[in-house]
């Protein structure tokens, strides 16, 4: 007997919904050399069912479940004269087969061979005349495994929405996913009505402009008055490193994992969070990488997203605000490095939550296409940059997930490589591991797999240093006890 997993449908949307400002920002950032779709990779073990998955089976089954994901069957529609923020409308010509393809990994089908396929998929941009996703079934992985790689535009979902989608589409032991078929009804939209709706909203935005400007001023003052402001980097004060090299349209991907428990121990020992400890470990990898490149390992800066509501069950949209933190790659001692980095991470998250998220939404809505334009002009020219690396860290399921009788043995996420910070490392906890997906340009990260090995080495280095510190403390305690006696 299997329990039916209940799906929260409260996030369903009506047709002809105006794209939000943050979603539109992700859409408008895209160019020929800047793909704005992410990769979500599920590695599958089909041994229990005794046969591999095939594309025909996926095409037959998917329509019975896509109804729980509204954006899966919606496309973009632009109102005349209002191109910055299009509408989501129902795709009356939706055909799931147009979104599916398959590939075979080269022998021996390990991480390197899968990563090579991911590097190619990372630059295969999505057709904007259709819903903004695609699925590639990968055959030939080691041990008879397969992978499902979903390309989904960042305008559709941020990291939390993607995680919720994965959780809704999979099940735990003794559960099954409730079917949610896509509708067969045609839903027409009227172009004139879209134009009128966009024009009306534009007038409302004009009237709200003074309040938005006041909110921005208050946020700036709040940041300046923060008690730990010295722990938070200021915008455009970061020196370029080779992580910010002038780059083109090519992308490279690498995947790996580190033990979650090891990072948790480091967090506990240094009085920080898992997020802080992880960033401290990344700082160690950056230090080793820069030294290997013959560069001075000064302080680095990361930008990462802070979720508006981690408890949200939404399966689409972008509800994150960025935060900047110092990665203390200048510190040689791994424990000091993690503690100092953790302090900066904690300070910037506190500041972000104090400032709130409404301002981020408003700025994205008002700036429209201006932000992407300025970024493109300055990406390879400005002597100072916002950050050296972009990171993300999300808590995922504690046990492996299932699709029927197929076990998802690994789940990996790859985000965006956007100049001038072309190196982006995304981590999700999954079944006791921190699963890492690194995407970059080859100019900024010639050996992405090697950098992930440096991350693993930084964990081991910190663990060794922690062990030595503990041993020294125990020895000192014993000596003091002997003296006292």
């Amino acid at each position: 007997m299997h329990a039916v997993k209940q799906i929260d449908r409260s996030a369903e949307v009506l047709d002809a919904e105006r794209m939000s400002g943050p979603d539109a920002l992700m859409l408008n950032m895209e160019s020929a050399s800047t793909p704005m779709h992410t990769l979500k990779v599920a590695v599958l073990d089909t041994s229990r069912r005794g046969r591999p998955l095939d594309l025909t089976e996926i095409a037959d089954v998917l329509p019975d479940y896509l109804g729980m994901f509204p954006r899966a069957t919606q496309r973009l529609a632009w109102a005349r004269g209002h191109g910055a923020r299009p509408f989501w409308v129902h795709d009356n010509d939706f055909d799931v087969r147009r979104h599916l393809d398959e590939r075979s990994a080269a022998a021996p089908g390990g991480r390197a061979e899968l990563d090579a396929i991911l590097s190619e998929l990372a630059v295969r941009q999505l057709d904007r005349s259709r819903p903004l996703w695609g699925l590639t079934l990968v055959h030939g992985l080691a041990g008879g495994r397969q992978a499902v790689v979903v390309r989904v535009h960042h305008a559709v979902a941020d990291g939390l929405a993607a995680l919720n989608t994965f959780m809704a589409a999979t099940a735990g032991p003794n559960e099954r996913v409730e079917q949610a078929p896509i509708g067969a009804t045609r839903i027409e939209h009227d172009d004139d009505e879209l134009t009128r709706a966009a024009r009306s909203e534009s007038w409302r935005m004009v009237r709200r402009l003074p309040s938005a400007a006041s909110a921005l001023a208050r946020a700036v003052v709040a940041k300046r008055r923060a008690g730990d402001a010295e722990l938070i980097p200021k915008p455009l004060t970061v020196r370029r490193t080779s992580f910010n090299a002038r780059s083109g349209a090519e992308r490279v991907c690498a995947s790996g994992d580190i033990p979650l428990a090891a990072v948790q121990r480091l967090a506990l020992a240094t009085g920080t969070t898992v997020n802080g400890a992880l960033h401290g470990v990344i700082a160690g990898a950056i230090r080793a990488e820069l030294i290997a490149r013959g560069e001075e390992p000064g302080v680095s800066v990361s930008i990462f997203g802070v979720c508006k509501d981690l408890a949200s069950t939404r399966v689409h949209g972008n509800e994150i605000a960025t935060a900047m933190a110092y990665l203390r790659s200048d510190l040689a001692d791994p424990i000091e490095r993690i503690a100092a980095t953790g302090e900066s991470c904690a300070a910037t998250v506190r500041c972000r939550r104090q400032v709130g998220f409404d301002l981020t939404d408003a700025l994205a809505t008002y700036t429209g296409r201006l932000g992407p334009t300025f970024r493109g002009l300055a990406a390879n020219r400005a002597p100072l940059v916002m950050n050296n690396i972009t990171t993300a860290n999300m808590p995922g399921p504690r046990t492996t997930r299932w699709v029927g009788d197929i076990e998802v043995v690994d789940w990996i996420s790859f985000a965006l490589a956007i100049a001038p910070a072309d190196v982006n490392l995304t981590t999700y906890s999954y079944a006791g591991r921190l699963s890492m997906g690194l995407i970059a340009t080859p100019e900024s990260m010639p050996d992405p797999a090697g950098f992930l090995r440096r991350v693993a080495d930084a964990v081991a280095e910190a663990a060794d240093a922690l062990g030595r510190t503990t041993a020294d403390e125990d020895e000192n305690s014993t000596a003091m006890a002997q003296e006292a006696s």
Side-chain angles (χ1 to χ4, degrees), residues 161-205:
L163 175 62
N164 288 339
T165 298
F166 172 71
M167 296 298 287
T170 60
N174 301 317
E175 291 181 339
R176 63 183 176 87
V177 179
E178 180 185 10
Q179 289 191 357
I182 58 177
T185 305
R186 293 181 65 85
I187 306 175
E188 303 296 341
H189 72 274
D190 182 83
D191 290 342
D192 292 334
E193 185 61 34
L194 296 187
T195 301
R196 285 192 292 271
R199 186 181 299 124
S200 176
E201 185 179 357
S202 294
W203 281 113
R204 289 195 299 272
M205 288 175 61

Side-chain angles (χ1 to χ4, degrees), residues 4-21:
V4 176
K5 186 174 141 186
Q6 298 298 318
I7 302 300
D8 179 5
R9 297 234 175 89
S10 61
E12 290 184 359
V13 297
L14 299 176
D15 193 62
E17 176 193 4
R18 189 80 184 274
M19 183 178 278
S20 73

